[in-house]
């Protein structure tokens, strides 16, 4: 936008030194809107854990606990790690007065390893009134499902003389699938604002003189599952804030001597200097060169933060000179304008 501070003042630009034909690729950092918008009116949030087994579902959980070779607490600890990390990250990212982890509410428990039905708005309103919160985040489900397989092998073991000899052994492979999902309830609008699922498959190996010892030898399974769960909590919190991402653009580096010199200037980060030379080619007698110059000036305008001018240059490159890259670029720039409008609205509320 015309009044936007130049992107170069707060965004780094990196050139990827992999030229392809007549173009070279560069990347730049941009800020995109939060995937999930939390109104500034929201000052206090509640977090519930629906993955806790309800009294009616404990039988189902026991079956899964048997299949999960390391026992009863893997799901429980993983869910707690995800919620704790989510609350901690959100506290650092959002201007909130209070973040409450709401526990021991029998009405919200599910205990199923699948996404349960949404909670009733009567239940959501009850939770908000009781705990004085504005919205409810729900870890809707959390489940680890483990399959084990064994094969006969050998392993070194010390005998009575202290000498290591190879003995028959069992090797186990534990294939653990972690599934979890989040929901965000807004009682004011009575809408589920967001719903997001995360899945990861993990393989673990161990050896022992029998299957039980082989399972006992599996290292760091609990720690790995909990670390992934913490990362899930952090990732979900990140959905509530604007994100800095990197985008790539291809610009023309050849066609005339001015393009070649401009390319070298671009490689050193002198984009204003490159634009001076591209601008000189806007009136070149060769229509193909004019198209490339207009296209590159669109790139320069985007770097400067003037997306309207970038669209104007890119549109001309396509309509007047049939530049093959320009039409897609126009659509990309229009999408960026829409995203910036959303970002401005989020920042103004």
């Amino acid at each position: 936008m015309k009044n936007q501070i130049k992107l170069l003042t707060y965004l780094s630009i990196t050139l990827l030194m992999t030229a392809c034909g007549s173009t070279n690729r560069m990347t730049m950092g941009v800020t995109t809107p939060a995937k999930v918008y939390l109104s500034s009116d929201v000052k206090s949030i509640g977090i519930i854990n629906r993955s806790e087994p309800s009294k009616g579902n404990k039988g189902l959980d026991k079956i899964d606990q048997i299949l999960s070779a390391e026992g009863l607490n893997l799901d429980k600890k993983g869910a707690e790690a995800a919620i704790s990390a989510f609350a901690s990250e959100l506290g650092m990212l959002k201007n909130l007065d209070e973040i409450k982890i709401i526990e021991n509410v029998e009405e919200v428990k599910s205990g199923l390893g699948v996404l349960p039905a949404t909670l009733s708005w009567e239940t959501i309103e009850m939770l908000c009134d009781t705990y004085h919160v504005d919205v409810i985040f729900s870890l809707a489900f959390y489940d680890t499902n483990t399959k084990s397989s064994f094969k006969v092998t050998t392993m070194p073991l010390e005998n009575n003389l202290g000498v290591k000899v190879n003995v028959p052994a069992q090797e186990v492979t534990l294939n653990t699938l972690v599934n979890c999902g989040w929901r965000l309830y807004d009682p004011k609008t009575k809408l589920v604002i967001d719903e997001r699922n995360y899945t990861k498959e993990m393989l673990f190996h161990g050896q022992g003189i029998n299957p039980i010892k082989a399972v006992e030898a599996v290292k760091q399974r609990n720690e790995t599952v909990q670390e992934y769960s913490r990362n899930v909590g952090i990732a979900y919190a990140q959905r509530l804030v604007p994100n800095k991402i990197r985008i790539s653009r291809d610009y023309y580096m050849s066609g005339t001597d001015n393009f070649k010199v401009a390319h070298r200037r671009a490689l050193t980060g002198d984009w204003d200097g490159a634009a001076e030379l591209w601008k000189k080619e806007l009136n070149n007698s060769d229509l193909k060169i004019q198209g490339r110059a207009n296209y590159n000036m669109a790139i320069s305008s985007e770097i400067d933060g003037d997306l309207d001018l970038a669209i104007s240059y890119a549109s001309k490159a396509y309509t007047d000179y049939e530049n093959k890259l320009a039409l897609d670029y126009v659509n990309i720039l229009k999408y960026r304008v829409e995203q910036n409008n959303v970002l401005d609205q989020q920042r103004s509320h």
Side-chain angles (χ1 to χ4, degrees), residues 238-296:
Q238 292 282 349
R239 288 174 62 79
L240 277 74
V241 295
N243 296 302
K244 291 183 178 180
I245 64 171
R246 300 202 70 78
I247 58 176
S248 62
R249 300 287 185 259
D250 292 325
Y251 67 91
Y252 288 99
M253 62 177 184
S254 64
T256 68
D257 288 342
N258 278 335
F259 275 91
K260 294 175 182 177
V261 176
H263 172 53
R264 292 197 294 271
R265 290 182 180 182
L267 291 176
T268 65
D270 183 10
W271 291 97
D272 289 337
E276 288 177 7
L277 298 178
W278 292 332
K279 191 174 292 185
K280 291 181 179 180
E281 300 297 341
L282 291 174
N283 296 316
N284 192 292
S285 58
D286 187 330
L287 297 183
K288 182 177 180 181
I289 295 300
Q290 287 191 48
R292 289 187 176 189
N294 275 276
Y295 179 87
N296 278 11

Side-chain angles (χ1 to χ4, degrees), residues 49 51-53 65 70-85 139 142-144 178 221-231:
N49 180 9
S51 69
E52 295 179 295
Q65 289 160 6
E70 290 197 57
L72 303 176
N73 292 322
L74 194 61
D75 289 1
K76 180 175 182 292
K77 290 181 178 179
E80 289 173 351
I83 288 175
S84 176
L139 180 60
Y142 184 100
D143 180 66
T144 59
V178 183
R221 180 164 172 261
N222 286 341
E223 292 83 355
T224 302
V225 170
Q226 289 186 55
E227 180 64 21
Y228 170 72
S229 303
R230 284 189 287 270
N231 290 337

Side-chain angles (χ1 to χ4, degrees), residues 4 7 10-11 28-34 241-247 336 339-340 343-344 346-347:
Q4 187 176 0
L7 288 176
Y10 62 94
L11 298 173
M28 72 176 82
V30 299
T31 302
T32 60
V241 295
N243 296 302
K244 291 183 178 180
I245 64 171
R246 300 202 70 78
I247 58 176
R336 279 212 60 208
Q339 291 285 285
N340 277 357
L343 183 61
D344 289 342
Q346 290 181 353
R347 286 171 169 170

